[in-house]
């Protein structure tokens, strides 16, 4: 039953993924290809070093020299990358500015710079000996169940701002998720003795998705967002949840971030096992694999040699495609109404309702109003109860509406016994406006007030978890359209006015003292220096001038300046090594 249910679930997800992937790619790839060679090298070096972590300054000059770039070229390329929003900055409350590569670019850069980062995923050789951790039923269904519970019961807090202990215990048992799914992540959070980690993650997800807000009174549902959320397909919900998980719950550090994105974009498709190299610095990566299984995104296994293996139950690369603007993710309706076959549930004479995984979220939300959930699996079981139906009736839902809902979304005829009993249960609220009419209105995406508001996670929402980078940070991003490269070029105009134009315009032989001055100027400006000896021309990235009997110049010689990825070699030069020289300024300055 479990395997059959999983196959039913994946067939629906795979259909949506496969169809959408035909027309949707990682849109950043084309934009990355359009970057200049210098911009690609600077971005590649920063991505290799930091991934999406913050940094406060550019890398040392020797790093850029190995890339075949002068410091000035790297700085100008960096300015262009900021202008094109491949690099963004955040200002701290005390004025310090730090930079980072936005998370929405990391999947593309993982593909673009495969050779720069050690791979932690490999094709599977042999077979999987055993499955260590099966994937649980998908997390989106758990969030829906939790939202329905909060909607009915409320989630108040104490005077200290914490949830009551008895309520925490209820939340802990309300879900199929467990602490063991996420304890290996070693997430730090307040009130750890009170809140189990799986409860913290569930509430943090709801806050980050803007489905719940925290007030002095407690956790309150944002009804406008809720009504939009339940109109999404499970696939769209998974995409939103997956992005939150990728950004918030994995261990910090560039190495672990590289590993997470390699796992997401450098692996085979759905249901294909691959080997995961979890040794050395990635020893904690096993915790991430188990968390993915806890969310229902994948499964953890072991090959015949006892090595870690993993397979996806979803297509993570598709979920990471957020569009080219790296801004708020707007839900892209994958298919028009009617193109997807939606599953139906089965109403049994004993009032149990069997719900396959392809029943739409909106239908499951309605079931939550009339039923109690008995078990959650690939095939979930609910039971119609008198208490729930009476509560719905008291809110204005007529028994005929409930019966019609069960008939329209159920397989076959509604059992007569159920039909008669519903009429007996729902004997109140006949004259109150039908709540379902309001629900349909509220969830109509074509309504003017709903049309432009289909977004949830934007990466900046405050959740329940407070991470180390949060204190002292202000939401002050450099998205003002500043022309950073124009500022750099303007500064260059002032610099060039201070030296003779011939120094950077012409190849010439100069007096020994002037040549030394030109070499020192190249070092100060962090630009390249060109030298000619006979018919040979060399491009140098000068590092220092040493005073001896005759001064000497040390630096990197670019061996193949016309190649995309230049090779460099450390060399020492004396004035006798050239007949002519000139400064080589960055392009466009």
């Amino acid at each position: 039953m479990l395997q059959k249910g999983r196959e039913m679930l994946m067939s629906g997800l795979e259909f949506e993924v496969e169809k959408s992937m035909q027309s949707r790619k990682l849109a950043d790839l084309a934009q990355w290809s359009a970057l200049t060679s210098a911009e690609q090298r600077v971005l590649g070096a920063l991505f290799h070093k930091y991934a999406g972590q913050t940094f406060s300054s550019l890398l040392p000059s020797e790093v850029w020299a190995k890339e075949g770039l002068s410091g000035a070229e790297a700085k100008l390329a960096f300015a262009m990358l900021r202008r094109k929003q491949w690099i963004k900055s955040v200002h701290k409350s005390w004025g310090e500015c730090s930079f980072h590569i936005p998370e929405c670019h990391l999947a593309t850069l993982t593909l673009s710079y495969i050779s720069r980062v050690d791979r932690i995923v490999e094709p599977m050789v042999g077979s999987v000996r055993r499955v260590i951790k099966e994937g649980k039923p998908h997390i989106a269904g758990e969030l829906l169940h939790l939202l329905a519970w909060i909607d009915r019961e409320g989630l108040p807090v104490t005077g200290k701002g914490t949830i009551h202990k008895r309520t925490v215990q209820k939340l802990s048992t309300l879900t199929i998720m467990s602490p063991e799914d996420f304890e290996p992540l070693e997430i730090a959070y307040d009130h750890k003795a009170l809140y189990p980690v799986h409860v913290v993650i569930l509430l943090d997800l709801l806050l980050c998705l803007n489905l719940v807000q925290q007030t002095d009174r407690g956790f309150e549902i944002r009804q406008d967002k809720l009504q939009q959320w339940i109109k999404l397909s499970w696939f769209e919900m998974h995409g939103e949840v997956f992005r939150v998980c990728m950004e918030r719950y994995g261990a910090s550090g560039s190495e672990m971030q590289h590993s997470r994105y390699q796992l997401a974009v450098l692996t085979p498709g759905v249901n294909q096992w691959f080997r995961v190299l979890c040794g050395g610095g990635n020893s904690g990566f096993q915790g991430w694999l188990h968390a993915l299984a806890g969310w229902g995104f994948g499964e953890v296994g072991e090959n015949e040699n006892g090595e870690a293996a993993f397979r996806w139950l979803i297509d993570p690369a598709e979920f990471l495609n957020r569009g080219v603007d790296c801004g708020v993710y707007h839900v892209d309706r994958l298919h028009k109404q009617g193109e997807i076959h939606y599953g139906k549930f089965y109403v049994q004479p004993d009032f149990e309702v069997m719900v396959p995984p392809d029943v739409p979220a909106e239908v499951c939300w309605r079931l939550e109003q009339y039923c109690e959930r008995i078990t959650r699996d690939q095939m979930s079981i609910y039971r119609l109860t008198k208490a729930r139906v009476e509560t719905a009736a008291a809110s204005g839902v007529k028994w005929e509406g409930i019966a019609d809902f069960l008939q329209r979304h159920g397989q076959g005829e509604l059992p007569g016994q159920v039909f008669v009993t519903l009429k007996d249960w729902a004997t109140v609220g006949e004259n109150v406006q039908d709540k379902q009419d309001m629900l349909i209105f509220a969830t109509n995406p074509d309504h003017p007030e709903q049309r432009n508001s289909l977004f949830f996670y934007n990466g900046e929402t405050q959740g329940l978890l407070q991470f180390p980078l949060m204190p002292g940070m202000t939401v002050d991003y450099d998205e003002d359209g500043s022309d950073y490269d124009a500022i750099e070029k303007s500064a260059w105009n002032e610099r060039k006015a201070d030296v003779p134009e011939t120094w950077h315009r012409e190849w010439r032989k100069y007096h020994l003292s002037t040549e030394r001055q030109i070499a020192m100027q190249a070092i100060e400006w962090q630009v390249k220096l060109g030298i000619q000896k006979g018919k040979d021309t060399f491009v140098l990235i000068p590092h220092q001038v040493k005073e001896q009997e005759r001064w000497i110049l040390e630096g990197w010689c670019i061996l193949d300046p016309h190649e995309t990825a230049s090779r460099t070699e450390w060399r020492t030069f004396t004035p006798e090594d050239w007949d002519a020289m000139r400064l080589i300024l960055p392009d466009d300055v």
Side-chain angles (χ1 to χ4, degrees), residues 515-534:
E515 290 180 341
R516 181 183 178 283
Q517 191 177 354
I518 292 174
M520 294 294 291
Q521 192 67 72
I523 294 171
E524 180 185 340
W525 283 355
Q526 297 184 36
V527 298
K528 291 175 179 175
L529 182 67
I531 61 174
Q532 288 182 338
K533 183 69 172 180

Side-chain angles (χ1 to χ4, degrees), residues 43-62:
L43 189 58
L46 293 173
F47 173 70
H48 178 211
K49 176 71 173 178
Y50 301 113
Q53 305 298 306
T54 58
F55 56 95
S56 57
S57 61
L58 278 176
L59 296 169
S61 57
E62 54 264 29

